[in-house]
Amino acid sequence: MSPRRGARVELPDTAATTTAEGTSALDRAASTNEPADRRPDAVAVPDHQPHVLLDTPTASPVRLAKVAGLLYLVIAVFGAFAQFVRVKVYVPGNAATTSTNIVANAPLVRTSFVADLVQALVWLVLAVVLHRLFAHAGRSIARALVVFVSVSVAIASLNMLNQLGALLVATNDSYVTAFGVNGSHALVLLFMDLQHYGYLIAQLSWLWLFALGLLGYRSGMFPNWLSFLLMFATVCYVIDALTRFLAPSFADTSAAVFLLPEIIGEVALLGYLLIRGVRQPQPTVSGPTTI
């Protein structure tokens, strides 16, 4: 039925209603302080932020392990050089020959002294790197590794004073004047003997290799053969040192029996760190969840 002619027809003001409703919705959101992402009319935006991977340059275990390998290589080179020089000049039981050798190779003996101090400092840095690399496998064991290295470094560094004392007595004529030729030679041999046994005392605290093998096994970052080899090498070091103290007559036999596994263990560790680094566990990929 059409309206009568001349009648007034009122139409709804949709614009005003929409504006009023929109203003009311905004006022409600502002008054409740509701976060935008929790509002019913909010649009969810997917988070495309990339995840931090273990193989990034700043957090790669392999890169960190290879740094440890380079530090261990420095220790091996400097330590081997220092030990080579000591073996060259030190003749157990022969004071005159030992003193003569030190005088003839005084610059070399002094250089080996510095090399030993440098490798001791690098050893401390290596302990910190290994702690960072394996702390997730056992913080207590990783801390024990750092403690064992620190004790070994402290003993070895103080022990180097014996080598320096032998060098000073052998190259300074005032000691010959005070003690005589035979007396000064005997004093040189005494210092070198003390240096030798001090090195064995430091060797007793090389339990850091056992801790490292245990950490490598627990974390899966070392193969089992390397982990057990490091722990076995540690046992050899300890038994060898104790045998030399308790039964000096079996010192040569002990060296012949235990030296090979000790060398194999450390060379294997050095090679693995430099070439492979460490093993990284494969990430587990979870399948779609069925509801």
Side-chain angles (χ1 to χ4, degrees):
M1 181 176 181
S2 60
R4 296 191 306 270
R5 185 184 300 272
R8 184 178 179 181
V9 179
E10 294 183 3
L11 299 176
D13 192 355
T14 57
T17 302
T18 304
T19 304
E21 291 176 355
T23 305
S24 177
L26 292 176
D27 291 341
R28 288 197 303 270
S31 61
T32 57
N33 293 326
E34 187 177 5
D37 57 348
R38 295 184 180 179
R39 297 173 195 165
D41 56 345
V43 179
V45 180
D47 184 10
H48 296 290
Q49 183 178 1
H51 298 284
V52 179
L53 301 177
L54 286 178
D55 57 352
T56 57
T58 58
S60 171
V62 174
R63 183 184 295 268
L64 199 60
K66 291 188 175 182
V67 170
L70 291 175
L71 293 173
Y72 200 38
L73 179 62
V74 173
I75 295 171
V77 171
F78 280 63
F81 167 74
Q83 183 65 13
F84 170 78
V85 173
R86 280 192 293 270
V87 171
K88 181 179 180 179
V89 302
Y90 174 50
V91 182
N94 195 327
T97 303
T98 299
S99 183
T100 302
N101 290 340
I102 291 178
V103 172
N105 300 277
L108 199 61
V109 174
R110 195 176 298 276
T111 304
S112 71
F113 174 82
V114 175
D116 247 342
L117 292 181
V118 171
Q119 67 98 10
L121 294 177
V122 177
W123 198 2
L124 287 175
V125 179
L126 173 64
V128 175
V129 174
L130 292 176
H131 179 274
R132 179 180 176 186
L133 184 61
F134 289 100
H136 67 281
R139 293 190 177 275
S140 298
I141 302 175
R143 292 191 188 103
L145 183 149
V146 176
V147 171
F148 290 142
V149 170
S150 301
V151 171
S152 295
V153 167
I155 296 174
S157 298
L158 291 174
N159 185 49
M160 290 307 300
L161 289 173
N162 292 314
Q163 180 175 330
L164 182 61
L167 179 64
L168 292 175
V169 173
T171 57
N172 194 328
D173 293 337
S174 61
Y175 293 100
V176 177
T177 304
F179 300 105
V181 175
N182 292 333
S184 65
H185 288 175
L187 195 56
V188 169
L189 181 62
L190 174 62
F191 277 126
M192 293 304 295
D193 285 340
L194 291 175
Q195 198 280 334
H196 170 72
Y197 286 107
Y199 183 81
L200 293 178
I201 294 175
Q203 183 174 309
L204 283 173
S205 59
W206 279 8
L207 296 173
W208 73 276
L209 278 177
F210 192 95
L212 180 59
L214 186 58
L215 288 170
Y217 174 76
R218 293 183 61 175
S219 65
M221 300 175 78
F222 283 165
N224 289 344
W225 64 265
L226 179 57
S227 298
F228 289 115
L229 183 59
L230 291 177
M231 290 187 277
F232 178 68
T234 305
V235 174
C236 292
Y237 273 123
V238 173
I239 295 177
D240 183 25
L242 292 176
T243 301
R244 292 169 185 256
F245 282 117
L246 296 174
S249 58
F250 291 97
D252 294 337
T253 304
S254 177
V257 172
F258 296 114
L259 183 61
L260 185 60
E262 294 167 1
I263 294 177
I264 292 176
E266 295 211 51
V267 170
L269 174 62
L270 176 61
Y272 194 85
L273 288 175
L274 288 175
I275 298 173
R276 178 69 185 273
V278 288
R279 297 192 306 183
Q280 296 190 85
Q282 297 295 330
T284 57
V285 181
S286 58
T289 304
T290 304
I291 301 176

